[in-house]
Amino acid sequence: MNQIKVMKFGGTSVGKPERMRQVSQLITADPSTPTIVVLSALSGTTNALVEIGNAIATGQREKAKELIEKLEAHYQTFISDLVKTAPSLAKAKAIVAEHFEFLTIILRISFSEALSKDILAQGELLSTKLFSVFLEENGIGHSLLPALEFMTIDAHDEPQINSIKTKLTQLLQQHKDKNLFITQGYICRNARGEVDNLKRGGSDYTASLIAAAINASVCEIWTDIDGMHNNDPRVVKKTVAIEQLSFEEAAELAYFGAKILHPASIWPAQFYKVPVRLLNTMQPDAKGTLITEAAGSEGVKAIAAKDGIVAINIRSSRMLLAYGFLRKIFEIFEKYRTPIDMITTSEVAVSLTIESIAELKAIVRELEPFGTIEVEENHTIVSIVGNEIAHTPDVLSKLFSALIPVPIRMVSYGGSKHNVSLLIPSAHKTETLQLLNKGLFGLE
Ligand code: ASP
Ligand code: MG
């Protein structure tokens, strides 16, 4: 068997019947290459399922019922457009009926965390099964691989790559006669054997884990934009797609706000050396972005921004010439399982940032004995990413001269050769991204 290729399609790529048709063309363009296709739920479905789960969890069963009915109506319209023949429509209807009956049954039983995961799993189960009916109607041979039979996470929610590899290889062996496989993104089984998921946006992670597990030739992530862009297209007018990125650069961008790729999806591809390609379903001929081990050209490649950041400043004269101070502070964050994104220090103060505020109060309470604590919410991390930018002349001078009007709160430089991060008040984000687009890329 040739090396397998993985192709993942996001919610908007399968969100309309005509998109599904387009996906069927893309996955059959090269029939000699064995291909595993990973699908998200139709766009809007997972959000709707979250709402349904929340309504049930808060005892609003009437509201949940209405939401379920509304979603079912959407699927009825979708399938009547998707398939043409009566037998296919009957099959599609049976699938929709099965999954919505399940949701209706859930309405009647008492709510639990495990049940909410079951609710969330319906989106990917529906999209893959309906797509399978569509492929069958069009005479496109394939097999459905149930993700719940091979995608597993351990007690710490970490994917079990070796077991995924064994189980997936076995499944592929059972379908030796096939060259095309369809599976669900996002969903998995946890250590207790229950249905679980890889967190929101996790279908990218599924694709990368599969690609790593079977040593795929490439992991293609198909979305509705032609690759990773140099800046946030929602904030600045002119952006360009980046042709090539290293895994490290892509990880920084994905973590610091580029919505196109789930940050966790970088490591499996990176570790198992599978190139990742970001492509556009609406414009399949566009080059997109290729992510590989090699960094390609030097210099600044992109800017990403992450909102909802809280800055915490700890000021204490006891820090002067003391050792072990940072360890004690870090231990508090560790205790509350809160990741720190940025950190800067002076001899008498430390500033650091966190994204999750769930444990903020408790953290501040424990920090108080160490000095004066200041908390500033509503900040944004702007991350400037590129290859060897620490060694590229002019980057810093261009950066700071572009940002003269912006009150920069923190700067992190030198942690990696690929990134400079700035912390700014969120109110200045649009201005910052626009000024940097001009100052660093010469784009308006
Ligand atoms: N359907 C899931 C979500 O919307 C997973 C994904 O699309 O990646 O989060
Ligand atoms: Mg996504």
Side-chain angles (χ1 to χ4, degrees), residues 8 201 204 259-260:
K8 179 257 165 176
D204 296 341
K259 289 279 174 303
I260 182 168

Side-chain angles (χ1 to χ4, degrees), residues 8-12 39-47 49-50 120 123-124 185-187 197-206 262:
K8 179 257 165 176
F9 293 88
T12 47
L39 298 188
S40 287
L42 313 194
S43 50
T45 296
T46 311
N47 285 344
L49 294 169
V50 169
L120 293 177
E124 273 68 13
Y186 180 57
I187 61 173
N197 60 64
L198 300 174
K199 313 259 157 54
R200 294 305 307 271
S203 293
D204 296 341
Y205 199 13
T206 302
H262 190 283

Side-chain angles (χ1 to χ4, degrees), residues 14 57 264 307 340 378 416:
V14 290
D307 296 323
I340 296 170
N378 297 321
S416 97

Side-chain angles (χ1 to χ4, degrees), residues 187-389:
I187 61 173
C188 62
R189 262 185 214 284
N190 62 26
R192 292 179 297 277
E194 301 155 348
V195 172
D196 209 321
N197 60 64
L198 300 174
K199 313 259 157 54
R200 294 305 307 271
S203 293
D204 296 341
Y205 199 13
T206 302
S208 173
L209 287 164
I210 291 179
I214 54 156
N215 185 28
S217 57
V218 62
C219 177
E220 294 183 349
I221 306 283
W222 291 79
T223 62
D224 53 3
I225 180 168
D226 53 343
M228 231 185 241
H229 277 228
N230 73 307
N231 204 334
D232 189 339
R234 291 162 303 184
V235 180
V236 301
K237 269 198 214 117
K238 181 136 184 53
T239 61
V240 287
I242 313 161
E243 273 184 33
Q244 208 262 329
L245 284 169
S246 67
F247 284 116
E248 275 161 23
E249 291 165 342
E252 303 263 14
L253 286 173
Y255 185 69
F256 284 114
K259 289 279 174 303
I260 182 168
L261 190 64
H262 190 283
S265 61
I266 309 276
W267 77 260
Q270 178 171 24
F271 192 76
Y272 292 88
K273 299 196 170 36
V274 181
V276 174
R277 216 176 248 292
L278 307 178
L279 293 155
N280 186 352
T281 313
M282 300 354 144
Q283 237 184 298
D285 297 326
K287 261 194 184 156
T289 301
L290 176 65
I291 307 170
T292 56
E293 201 54 43
S297 62
E298 280 190 11
V300 177
K301 290 192 185 159
I303 300 162
K306 191 173 180 180
D307 296 323
I309 303 293
V310 180
I312 303 175
N313 185 268
I314 306 139
R315 189 180 305 275
S316 164
S317 50
R318 265 184 293 154
M319 252 176 99
L320 200 66
L321 300 177
Y323 52 83
F325 191 85
L326 283 179
R327 180 178 54 78
K328 289 179 200 140
I329 288 176
F330 285 159
E331 272 170 2
I332 295 169
F333 288 86
E334 195 182 332
K335 179 171 164 193
Y336 291 100
R337 300 172 63 99
T338 301
I340 296 170
D341 281 327
M342 270 176 89
I343 169 152
T344 57
T345 63
S346 82
E347 197 45 54
V348 289
V350 184
S351 273
L352 40 82
T353 70
I354 58 172
E355 192 193 359
S356 140
I357 53 160
E359 303 285 357
L360 183 61
K361 272 202 186 116
I363 291 173
V364 169
R365 201 182 332 109
E366 294 214 25
L367 285 173
E368 263 156 6
F370 291 94
T372 313
I373 314 299
E374 264 168 29
V375 175
E376 294 166 76
E377 294 190 26
N378 297 321
H379 277 66
T380 295
I381 292 179
V382 175
S383 184
I384 295 101
V385 172
N387 177 26
E388 298 282 339
I389 49 177

